[in-house]
Amino acid sequence: MGRAIQSIERAAGILRLLSGRTRRLGVVDIAGELGLPKGTVHGLLRTLQQVGFVEQDAETGKYQLGAALLHMGSSYLDGNELRTRALNWSDSLATRTGEAVRIGTLHDAQVLIVHHVFRPDDSLQTLDVGSLLPAHATGLGKVLLAHHPYVANELYRDGLSAFTPATISSRKGLERELEKVREQGWAADIGELVQGQASCAAPIIDRRGLTVGAMGIVGACERLLEDGGPRGDLLTYVREAARSVSRELGAIPW
Amino acid sequence: MTEQYVAAIDQGTASSRCLVFDRSARIVSVGQKEHRHIFPRPGWVEHDPEEIWRNVEEVVERALNEAGLQPSDLVALGIANQRESTIVWERESGRPVHNVINWQDTRTDHLIRELGGPVGQERFRERCGLPLATYFSGPKVRWLLDRIPGLRERAESGEVVFGTMDSWLISRLTGRHLTDVTNASRTMLMSLQTLDWDQELLDAMGVPRAMLPEIRPSSEVYGEARGQLAGVPVAAALGDQQAALFGQTCFSPGDAKCTYGTGSFLLFNTGQRPVMSSSGLLTTVGCRIGDEPPTYALEGAIAVTGALVQWFRDNITLIASAPEIETLARTVQDNGGCYFVPAFSGLFAPHWRSDARGVIAGLTGYITKGHLARAVLEATAWQTKEVVDAINSDAGMAMRTLRVDGGMTANNLLMQFLADVLDVRVVRPIVAETVSLGAAYAAGLAVGFWPDLPALQANWHKAAEWLPQMGEEQRARGYRKWRKAVARTIDWLDEDDE
């Protein structure tokens, strides 16, 4: 085996430290942990910062893992964490709209339901948490695909199944739809998964600007739609709720 | 007619909050501010009562501003409060003579043992439904009377007065000195039968009657607020856990709720009869609406639930945030035979063994961090089962549904496991703020904003529901192992420890 390159070993050591529990460390802490001179650590940090692997907090001067690194890995927000942070907002969305609320994340090019609030009418309902939905036929999925184009490419390769006559099942059609979703900032499905059922959703964004999930409502077409699209008031509630969760996750308010 | 609202103040252990609700029980706005904890010595915990009052004024202001409301838009104000925390102030000036002694404060430890005498902890249970413990207010008042020079004389003449946090706020809001019956039931000074101060308890505890507030129903117009909220009827007060029971609309005998936080509190409505516990549970007043007969409740507190997840996060550091425990737990199918009994400072209800300490039992080479995470979560469910079993046996009726609230209800794995081991339906309501909602409901009822209890029940909707899926055999086997693990915690502490 060839000799290891010392500076890469040391840089890896720094990254490992920063991915640990505390996640934010100063130069002195890092130097102490690794048993290296402060100057050496500082130099390494500067390079890591240049390539976006670490970031320095402006206020405290401490270092943390950078956005570039997080983009590379699959370290999306933990679904259980997302549910916990979204709990109050999703409850209030269900109360305001009178519809069932779901939050989804991407999982193997499908939508994984990580949170579900019942429609507040005390009818018999069962929790959908943990179930997988086709991404191209749901509001949640379209929001997620619009912001993760490489996943959409996987779907095109495998082909888009049609669930109802309204399902978008051509590559061109879906590309156009996702372009629209990116522009308008929300997505809807109108009887595309289940006939007579509609859904609409908006993105949940974290502090790095990554779309980590989608949040929306689902229900009968006659309640959710007007003039062939989602009702304006419901859409506003959905977008507000998703923005609130995003703020909760530290996204820059907009 | 313009829209009308009810405000609730939740004066909690960590913070004071004000929530405004509309007629359909939707939260319109929230104001919140934390206050300081003062630790003068190990085991002592205090708050600054003036700071808390200032914060209450501030959060009310914030909540009104956020919703763009005037005090005249409020039809009533209700109060829910941290229970048992004790304050003594001058009747005339309203000035506190000492900081609030928080319910967690253990300074009355020696006094408690003294008061128990040869009979011990259970000496007053028959009258007040409570065992002697450092939490309750009576011994804290006694401590102040013993320690502050001249205070006893001033108390006997009624120059200084005692109250829990509800009394303190009501006094500042309306100028009246009173408390609600649920808060009074946590002082160890009130008779559960007469719902009045009990002379024998007062004598035993050495607390003069002249300093005590008048005991009023939980839902009744106590008076109109002055100052900032001028003209708003102050119309309800409840201890926070009782408020949660009310907010969950557990109005009928057999209804139960459990609030899952750092620790957890399970309250079970026993209707119009106080049930004395033979399993170390607390008997308490659940609520009293106006002149109607009171509703009683059995209460089981579990000291370490969410705190175990926090401990796992902070001290074992296998997870970075509390919710990740579910992710880790789902990496395995079951607990692999591993059980975790978090008797960090002894076993509480229904065991009451202070000599116990925590154990992780059933360790083999097979156990991974995923199994440990399962065991951590399952501990909350098994502890709940122990309390529920005790309640069922004390009350002579079986709990059918458990209504849950609090932070841990976001954990689906735990909620399903809870339904499995309790073998009952577990339901989470859509309004998670059950404490504030309960205070708002009680206040709104008093002024006729809501006509009756069924109207409140119509506002209650479930956000999620978990049904038992576990077979009887598996449940019995799991519970047997849990009890064996519990047995292994006992008698750990020795005379010469600490």
Side-chain angles (χ1 to χ4, degrees):
Chain A
M1 212 174 90
R3 240 183 56 192
I5 300 169
Q6 194 183 44
S7 57
I8 292 185
E9 269 187 345
R10 288 174 171 177
I14 291 178
L15 294 177
R16 212 172 283 130
L17 261 185
L18 291 175
S19 67
R21 171 167 67 117
T22 30
R23 289 186 166 165
R24 275 188 197 182
L25 295 168
V27 180
V28 179
D29 308 326
I30 298 171
E33 287 276 350
L34 298 180
L36 292 173
K38 234 174 69 182
T40 309
V41 169
H42 199 260
L44 288 165
L45 280 168
R46 229 180 15 224
T47 308
L48 286 170
Q49 198 176 358
Q50 277 162 14
V51 298
F53 282 13
V54 306
E55 288 171 359
Q56 191 177 15
D57 185 84
E59 257 176 56
T60 61
K62 291 192 171 184
Y63 291 88
Q64 64 194 40
L65 292 185
L69 201 60
L70 294 164
H71 276 281
M72 283 169 59
S74 58
S75 37
Y76 295 123
L77 184 67
D78 183 283
N80 296 313
E81 173 101 38
L82 181 55
R83 178 186 326 112
T84 305
R85 308 284 282 270
L87 202 62
N88 278 335
W89 305 111
S90 45
D91 281 353
S92 95
L93 179 60
T95 318
R96 292 172 94 177
T97 58
E99 299 295 338
V101 171
R102 297 184 306 193
I103 293 178
T105 59
L106 276 178
H107 183 86
D108 292 341
Q110 289 179 295
V111 180
L112 172 67
I113 302 298
V114 299
H115 185 40
H116 175 197
V117 181
F118 287 171
R119 187 171 66 249
D121 61 3
D122 296 328
S123 59
L124 188 67
Q125 297 167 70
T126 49
L127 271 186
D128 286 341
V129 175
S131 53
L132 291 164
L133 300 177
H136 65 287
T138 54
L140 293 173
K142 289 181 194 174
V143 164
L144 294 166
L145 289 177
H147 296 96
H148 296 279
Y150 58 95
V151 180
N153 288 335
E154 271 176 51
L155 276 183
Y156 302 141
R157 212 179 40 229
D158 301 342
L160 304 168
S161 342
F163 303 96
T164 72
T167 312
I168 302 173
S169 49
S170 75
R171 173 175 185 151
K172 246 205 179 75
L174 188 59
E175 278 176 340
R176 259 202 314 273
E177 174 80 356
L178 296 183
E179 187 54 47
K180 201 175 84 188
V181 170
R182 272 189 293 271
E183 265 168 37
Q184 65 193 16
W186 55 269
D189 103 71
I190 298 168
E192 293 160 46
L193 180 62
V194 177
Q195 270 182 330
Q197 181 187 285
S199 71
C200 62
I204 296 173
I205 295 164
D206 74 0
R207 68 186 183 85
R208 297 186 166 82
L210 286 176
T211 298
V212 290
M215 177 177 196
I217 56 175
V218 58
C221 282
E222 59 268 27
R223 292 196 307 265
L224 256 67
L225 305 179
E226 65 184 1
D227 305 329
R231 262 167 54 195
D233 56 338
L234 298 180
L235 200 52
T236 307
Y237 289 145
V238 166
R239 301 184 72 189
E240 275 178 12
R243 267 200 297 274
S244 298
V245 177
S246 302
R247 266 199 299 274
E248 178 82 32
L249 297 177
I252 297 142
W254 72 96
Chain B
M1 202 181 80
T2 57
E3 191 78 54
Q4 291 178 311
Y5 303 91
V6 177
I9 293 170
D10 172 11
Q11 203 302 299
T13 304
S15 70
S16 301
R17 313 199 309 147
C18 177
L19 277 78
V20 177
F21 293 90
D22 69 12
R23 202 182 293 267
S24 57
R26 236 164 50 186
I27 298 168
V28 177
S29 64
V30 184
Q32 171 163 7
K33 190 165 187 191
E34 293 183 6
H35 52 255
R36 283 175 306 140
H37 282 57
I38 302 160
F39 304 103
R41 291 191 202 179
W44 292 25
V45 189
E46 299 179 355
H47 305 305
D48 173 359
E50 294 289 0
E51 179 188 5
I52 286 182
W53 170 246
R54 278 195 307 275
N55 286 1
V56 165
E57 287 190 303
E58 199 177 319
V59 296
V60 167
E61 190 72 35
R62 277 191 211 171
L64 288 178
N65 285 344
E66 191 188 312
L69 298 177
Q70 303 295 321
S72 56
D73 296 316
L74 301 178
V75 295
L77 171 71
I79 296 167
N81 58 287
Q82 53 169 314
R83 304 176 300 173
E84 298 129 12
S85 295
T86 296
I87 166 169
V88 173
W89 69 92
E90 294 175 344
R91 191 191 293 273
E92 271 309 303
S93 69
R95 263 202 314 268
V97 303
H98 191 273
N99 276 339
V100 178
I101 303 182
N102 178 271
W103 58 273
Q104 296 155 305
D105 188 298
T106 55
R107 76 183 65 188
T108 53
D109 203 13
H110 288 281
L111 184 58
I112 290 297
R113 260 173 275 166
E114 216 174 280
L115 287 168
V119 187
Q121 269 197 314
E122 301 297 308
R123 182 173 166 202
F124 303 115
R125 184 187 282 276
E126 198 53 40
R127 288 184 172 265
C128 66
L130 308 172
L132 268 163
T134 55
Y135 301 126
F136 306 113
S137 318
K140 294 185 199 293
V141 186
R142 164 70 175 273
W143 187 93
L144 287 167
L145 293 172
D146 285 350
R147 295 302 180 96
I148 300 179
L151 195 65
R152 180 169 293 280
E153 291 71 38
R154 298 174 75 195
E156 277 162 1
S157 68
E159 189 188 322
V160 295
V161 295
F162 149 78
T164 35
M165 298 315 289
D166 57 317
S167 298
W168 171 241
L169 297 184
I170 291 170
S171 152
R172 283 284 164 115
L173 284 163
T174 69
R176 294 187 63 194
H177 183 222
L178 51 85
T179 187
D180 109 283
V181 62
T182 68
N183 277 295
S185 76
R186 315 296 290 195
T187 57
M188 297 203 81
L189 302 174
M190 188 187 82
S191 152
L192 276 181
Q193 300 300 333
T194 64
L195 302 185
D196 197 1
W197 305 118
D198 183 289
Q199 198 55 50
E200 206 163 303
L201 290 170
L202 296 182
D203 291 344
M205 212 73 77
V207 173
R209 189 184 272 263
M211 76 184 305
L212 300 178
E214 184 186 348
I215 301 175
R216 302 299 313 169
S218 326
S219 170
E220 174 190 82
V221 177
Y222 304 133
E224 280 191 359
R226 308 174 299 189
Q228 175 194 29
L229 286 175
V232 178
V234 180
L238 297 116
D240 50 14
Q241 294 307 323
Q242 281 91 339
L245 187 68
F246 203 70
Q248 285 269 27
T249 66
C250 292
F251 301 145
S252 309
D255 287 352
K257 73 91 200 175
C258 192
T259 302
Y260 286 97
T262 315
S264 298
F265 292 89
L266 197 152
L267 271 73
F268 180 92
N269 182 329
T270 60
Q272 294 176 15
R273 101 199 139 96
V275 174
M276 286 305 151
S277 174
S278 51
S279 342
L281 303 172
L282 309 183
T283 307
T284 198
V285 179
C287 181
R288 184 175 188 189
I289 302 164
D291 295 332
E292 288 172 31
T295 302
Y296 293 90
L298 273 173
E299 173 174 327
I302 309 167
V304 182
T305 50
L308 180 58
V309 178
Q310 288 165 6
W311 175 87
F312 195 69
R313 178 195 63 197
D314 298 337
N315 295 21
I316 306 300
T317 68
L318 283 173
I319 50 172
S321 74
E324 282 177 29
I325 187 100
E326 184 173 352
T327 314
L328 183 54
R330 282 189 192 276
T331 59
V332 292
Q333 289 304 309
D334 53 37
N335 65 12
C338 177
Y339 289 79
F340 195 148
V341 187
F344 287 169
S345 44
L347 286 171
F348 294 85
H351 307 286
W352 300 105
R353 291 293 298 252
S354 54
D355 62 345
R357 285 299 178 267
V359 300
I360 303 175
L363 287 179
T364 60
Y366 170 75
I367 297 299
T368 65
K369 57 187 177 180
H371 298 116
L372 282 177
R374 285 252 169 190
V376 162
L377 287 179
E378 291 181 3
T380 288
W382 291 122
Q383 290 182 97
T384 307
K385 180 165 174 63
E386 290 181 329
V387 166
V388 168
D389 282 1
I391 283 177
N392 288 345
S393 116
D394 282 341
M397 52 180 152
M399 193 183 86
R400 295 279 184 78
T401 297
L402 182 63
R403 298 187 167 194
V404 294
D405 51 70
M408 286 183 102
T409 59
N411 193 311
N412 280 298
L413 185 64
L414 171 59
M415 291 299 114
Q416 181 58 53
F417 192 73
L418 189 60
D420 285 342
V421 305
L422 297 181
D423 198 19
V424 301
R425 220 158 55 104
V426 170
V427 185
R428 180 174 83 81
I430 211 157
V431 179
E433 302 283 358
T434 54
V435 171
S436 298
L437 184 60
Y441 275 169
L445 269 184
V447 298
F449 185 61
W450 288 291
D452 50 21
L453 299 181
L456 302 181
Q457 270 157 336
N459 282 337
W460 191 93
H461 298 295
K462 60 183 177 219
E465 177 175 50
W466 295 269
L467 301 172
Q469 293 168 353
M470 189 184 275
E472 182 51 44
E473 198 186 323
Q474 194 188 348
R475 176 165 40 245
R477 202 168 50 232
Y479 198 27
R480 187 178 70 227
K481 287 291 185 202
W482 166 261
R483 280 185 302 203
K484 286 174 96 166
V486 168
R488 277 154 179 78
T489 67
I490 286 167
D491 189 29
W492 181 257
L493 217 58
D494 294 317
E495 281 290 310
D496 58 352
D497 281 338
E498 285 135 78

